[in-house]
Amino acid sequence: MISFVKRFLIALIIIAVLYALNLAMSKEGLFGFGVPLYQVDLWKMAGINIILAVSLNLINGFTGQFSIGHIGFMAVGAYSSTFMTVYYTQGLEQWLAGILGASVAAAIVFALVIIIGALAAAVAGLIVGIPTLRLRGDYLAIATLGFAEIIRIVITNMNKIGGATGFRGCVDPITNITCSDPSLGRLTIPAYTNFFWIGFLAVITIVVIYNIVNSDMGRALISIREDELAAQAMGVNTTRYKVTSFVISSAFAGVAGALYGHWRLPHPNDFTFVRSFEIIIMIVLGGMGSITGAVLGALVITFVPEVLRMLPGGVYNYRLVIYALLLIIIMITRPQGILGNYEIASWLKRARKRPEGGGAIGGSTGAPIAEQSDSTKKSEKELENR
Amino acid sequence: MDTFVQQLINGLNIGAIYALIALGYTMVYGILRLINFAHGDIYMVGAFAGYFIALKLGLGPSWGGLLFVLIGSMVVAAIFGMVIERFAYRPVRKYARMTTLITAIGVSLLLENLFVALFGGQGRGFPQLINDTTFPLFGNAAISKSQILIFAVSIALMVILQWIIFKTKVGTAMRAVSFNLNSAKLMGINTDAIIMFTFALGSALAAAGGVLTAQYSPTIDPLMGITTGLKAFVAAVLGGIGNIPGAVLGGLLIGVAETMVVGYGSNIGIQSTYRDAVAFAILILVLLIRPSGILGTTVQEKV
């Protein structure tokens, strides 16, 4: 009972903090304290990236199945949810607004379309996952990449959702130009998304993935990552667990897509495979198989390019070159990512236990090296298996 | 019939370029099990190297000039490939798959952004090194000089590659390394040098592809390698990654499929804008039926 009260209080505090932050990020600000618009956008993007990275980490980091098609499911979520708000939910929202007030009605409708986006992405995940998860390693990676590209190209060819020019609002099915008749649908996608929604759903994502990882299912997933054959021999239904985690992961990508779609208006160019790589970079940088690592990676990848914008004139043009170089150097010097397999809490505990100044920086002691030699062993095993 | 022949010629042409690039992917994968995502950008580097050589020497249309530009760009790209292998891939070779993959993506971003920063993102016209004329075959079908050139050069390069791999000492060493790296090391093969040579070879082939494409469609830009590179990679996987004839087969197959969709897709309700999706659709179908590609060999997993 006490733990229930405690959890409830924590949830309330998180909501209150997010609400206050949301006010601070609005135009008016909170108690005269406001965040510049440009930084607000960055924090929103960071939140969406956290949802994407944490959810991809479930399949890539914990289940060990190498997917590089995450952005495709985000696209499905973005387009299906905006499709609903443009063509179908307007009447519902007006009806609800008459009873509950405009802002509550908008919130209910948005929650509804986020769920629709998540479900659509989950269905897409199921359709993609069932055939492709039979494949292993690099073949799985390239098949998921292929599916994501196909999803993007199909979207590019659908005129009702804007096609190659991006989706802004209602498109007349006959003339293929923006509607002039409001009865056909909304003329612009409503901008429901604010920082509260993004922050709230990022927290939900983290909590759900954390609970999955620390449950029976999580242990089954990790056993698949460590050794699929052994897991199968122990009676783990590997196919079912792989597909389930893939579907859950896709559903959260759909949530991220719904948030993105009602903020930036979806465009096919936002969902290229290059963006999929970006999400993978986040989780590898933060440490595969670490939820806090994925959060950290998402923050780093969102903010580092912006920090590099502050470089002085002559170097400014080379900021993306520096970004790429940093990425390579980090991979060479810290291949297991910033946190490796650890969560921030246990990582700090370990760091405190470590003797002062002794070899920690040189990296000759401590668990990360053990993990590193593990992967060396693994690749050696792969070499033997050829 | 003449439309079909025309589409076939165009398709095989694009396919030959994909095949040249796919060979680099497949050789590197065969030896290191590394998806070298920077390989498409090496193709771009090759095209740019050719562009600057031709521009600096003020070369006009001549066979000698073309040969010089081709060989020059291949050498430059080979050097790029070796430098990348030495300073980016060798340090991460022993780490987990994901780490090496991110390094490859990093190198790809580095090359793209470096070339954008140095030369700007806009397209440049590649100087024409041959007087492109078309020869009528029959009906409306025709073949152009640059298309003949692409066929001739790519076939010649593939024959040379085949000779290097199967008839020379270094080729034997390459095959040994791809068969088993550790045993090859025990047999006294300098594996580091062989891996570097593989990168040089693959990069040179990609550069040749870059220069040849630039003769056929003469606009080059720093991001030209992204889509072409991805499709070439798909071609390599399609044929069975690590398998050299497979890469050629996959490249030609994807090239022909693409032009056929453009030519005949509308008859069966597929718009020509789906052209880019065809490669992936074929890939997924093939992988679901033969998980290791058309010519790939399935490796039994050991417990």
Side-chain angles (χ1 to χ4, degrees):
Chain A
M1 198 60 201
I2 289 166
S3 83
F4 173 75
V5 173
K6 207 169 137 193
R7 275 182 202 174
F8 186 70
L9 280 178
I10 290 173
L12 271 187
I13 290 169
I14 288 174
I15 288 175
V17 168
L18 283 172
Y19 191 71
L21 280 174
N22 187 37
L23 283 180
M25 287 187 182
S26 67
K27 246 184 215 148
E28 299 82 29
L30 178 70
F31 308 132
F33 170 77
V35 182
L37 213 64
Y38 161 73
Q39 286 178 21
V40 172
D41 273 6
L42 271 182
W43 280 106
K44 283 184 183 171
M45 204 62 229
I48 288 179
N49 281 341
I50 286 174
I51 299 177
L52 288 169
V54 171
S55 58
L56 183 65
N57 208 7
L58 181 67
I59 186 83
N60 274 25
F62 290 106
T63 320
Q65 302 303 307
F66 189 8
S67 158
I68 36 180
H70 211 48
I71 206 71
F73 304 114
M74 182 186 178
V76 170
Y79 274 95
S80 57
S81 63
T82 49
F83 179 75
M84 292 305 290
T85 45
V86 166
Y87 292 106
Y88 294 106
T89 61
Q90 208 169 357
L92 176 70
E93 194 179 339
Q94 274 162 7
W95 180 70
L96 282 172
I99 306 167
L100 300 164
S103 58
V104 179
I108 292 173
V109 170
F110 192 33
L112 195 70
V113 294
I114 288 175
I115 293 169
I116 290 172
L119 285 177
V123 170
L126 193 67
I127 294 169
V128 173
I130 287 176
T132 55
L133 285 168
R134 293 191 301 133
L135 302 169
R136 276 158 205 261
D138 296 332
Y139 291 103
L140 172 64
I142 197 66
T144 50
L145 173 69
F147 267 114
E149 280 292 286
I150 289 176
I151 288 172
R152 186 178 65 84
I153 293 163
V154 168
I155 287 171
T156 313
N157 283 293
M158 287 172 118
N159 288 325
K160 203 167 183 196
I161 49 173
T165 54
F167 192 30
R168 292 201 182 83
C170 177
V171 181
D172 196 303
I174 300 153
T175 58
N176 274 340
I177 49 172
T178 313
C179 293
S180 47
D181 181 6
S183 70
L184 287 171
R186 255 188 245 256
L187 300 184
T188 52
I189 296 171
Y192 289 136
T193 307
N194 58 26
F195 183 76
F196 179 80
W197 279 103
I198 294 178
F200 183 67
L201 285 164
V203 172
I204 298 260
T205 311
I206 293 168
V207 170
V208 170
I209 303 286
Y210 178 85
N211 282 333
I212 290 175
V213 169
N214 289 297
S215 67
D216 291 5
M217 184 183 166
R219 276 184 284 279
L221 297 182
I222 292 169
S223 77
I224 294 173
R225 175 185 75 188
E226 294 302 326
D227 194 327
E228 197 172 331
L229 276 175
Q232 215 158 14
M234 295 305 288
V236 176
N237 186 345
T238 52
T239 312
R240 218 185 89 199
Y241 277 113
K242 282 196 284 186
V243 173
T244 315
S245 74
F246 196 76
V247 167
I248 294 170
S249 162
S250 312
F252 279 108
V255 170
L259 291 168
Y260 185 83
H262 289 89
W263 167 38
R264 283 253 167 112
L265 313 182
H267 190 287
N269 288 354
D270 298 338
F271 305 108
T272 58
F273 69 97
V274 179
R275 272 283 285 157
S276 277
F277 285 167
E278 217 175 282
I279 310 169
I280 291 185
I281 292 172
M282 289 173 202
I283 59 173
V284 175
L285 198 66
M288 296 263 294
S290 159
I291 292 171
T292 38
V295 174
L296 198 66
L299 292 174
V300 168
I301 293 299
T302 316
F303 286 102
V304 164
E306 300 305 320
V307 172
L308 289 176
R309 272 177 194 279
M310 293 172 198
L311 288 170
V315 199
Y316 177 81
N317 283 335
Y318 290 90
R319 65 187 189 284
L320 291 172
V321 179
I322 296 168
Y323 170 77
L325 269 178
L326 279 177
L327 195 65
I328 298 170
I329 292 167
I330 292 174
M331 282 301 113
I332 292 174
T333 51
R334 207 171 158 78
Q336 72 276 38
I338 301 170
L339 294 181
N341 256 339
Y342 296 90
E343 301 296 343
I344 275 190
S346 61
W347 187 71
L348 286 177
K349 221 181 274 169
R350 232 166 37 80
R352 229 179 288 135
K353 270 187 203 155
R354 200 180 282 161
E356 284 294 312
I361 294 159
S364 54
T365 54
I369 299 303
E371 205 243 332
Q372 187 177 314
S373 61
D374 262 3
S375 59
T376 319
K377 242 186 278 164
K378 207 169 184 183
S379 64
E380 269 166 13
K381 196 183 154 203
E382 272 163 12
L383 291 174
E384 280 164 19
N385 275 346
R386 278 184 209 167
Chain B
M1 185 62 197
D2 37 353
T3 337
F4 178 78
V5 172
Q6 187 66 60
Q7 297 294 1
L8 194 66
I9 291 172
N10 294 346
L12 289 173
N13 227 279
I14 301 170
I17 303 285
Y18 288 155
L20 278 180
I21 307 169
L23 284 169
Y25 276 113
T26 223
M27 284 194 293
V28 167
Y29 189 90
I31 286 189
L32 289 182
R33 298 288 182 272
L34 162 74
I35 303 177
N36 180 13
F37 271 114
H39 194 60
D41 299 296
I42 291 286
Y43 155 84
M44 177 273 292
V45 169
F48 267 83
Y51 169 83
F52 282 112
I53 292 170
L55 212 66
K56 282 280 180 305
L57 300 179
L59 291 174
S62 70
W63 291 111
L66 179 71
L67 194 68
F68 187 77
V69 168
L70 200 62
I71 291 174
S73 72
M74 284 169 80
V75 170
V76 172
I79 293 169
F80 263 80
M82 289 194 282
V83 169
I84 289 167
E85 193 279 324
R86 177 64 190 82
F87 292 105
Y89 296 150
R90 192 177 296 175
V92 298
R93 205 187 286 157
K94 58 183 178 294
Y95 299 147
R97 266 310 166 72
M98 213 61 134
T99 313
T100 53
L101 185 86
I102 300 288
T103 313
I105 295 171
V107 173
S108 160
L109 287 175
L110 180 70
L111 288 176
E112 284 158 18
N113 293 327
L114 186 68
F115 274 65
V116 169
L118 289 176
F119 309 122
Q122 75 283 13
R124 289 157 182 260
F126 197 95
Q128 284 308 287
L129 300 172
I130 45 169
N131 287 317
D132 208 355
T133 45
T134 48
F135 307 103
L137 289 177
F138 60 89
N140 286 324
I143 187 165
S144 73
K145 218 186 207 175
S146 59
Q147 286 180 319
I148 297 175
L149 179 80
I150 290 178
F151 286 132
V153 175
S154 47
I155 290 170
L157 287 175
M158 285 168 200
V159 169
I160 294 174
L161 181 73
Q162 200 73 2
W163 176 76
I164 290 177
I165 289 179
F166 288 99
K167 299 282 179 205
T168 63
K169 215 171 171 182
V170 70
T172 316
M174 278 171 70
R175 280 181 288 144
V177 172
S178 83
F179 194 70
N180 193 322
L181 197 134
N182 287 331
S183 308
K185 214 181 258 174
L186 291 175
M187 295 297 120
I189 292 171
N190 183 350
T191 48
D192 281 348
I194 295 300
I195 290 169
M196 211 171 208
F197 178 76
T198 310
F199 270 85
L201 212 55
S203 304
L205 291 175
V211 172
L212 291 173
T213 317
Q215 291 308 309
Y216 181 60
S217 58
T219 313
I220 59 169
D221 69 87
L223 302 181
M224 67 192 274
I226 298 179
T227 329
T228 314
L230 188 63
K231 282 188 199 155
F233 172 58
V234 167
V237 180
L238 186 63
I241 194 155
N243 183 309
I244 286 175
V248 177
L249 181 70
L252 296 177
L253 203 65
I254 284 182
V256 171
E258 268 183 16
T259 48
M260 288 302 163
V261 163
V262 175
Y264 295 97
S266 53
N267 299 348
I268 51 167
I270 302 173
Q271 296 161 32
S272 61
T273 40
Y274 278 105
R275 172 190 168 149
D276 288 340
V278 175
F280 297 107
I282 295 176
L283 171 81
I284 289 166
L285 278 180
V286 169
L287 282 188
L288 294 181
I289 299 160
R290 274 189 68 89
S292 48
I294 299 173
L295 299 181
T297 43
T298 31
V299 182
Q300 200 64 40
E301 198 173 345
K302 288 177 205 160
V303 183

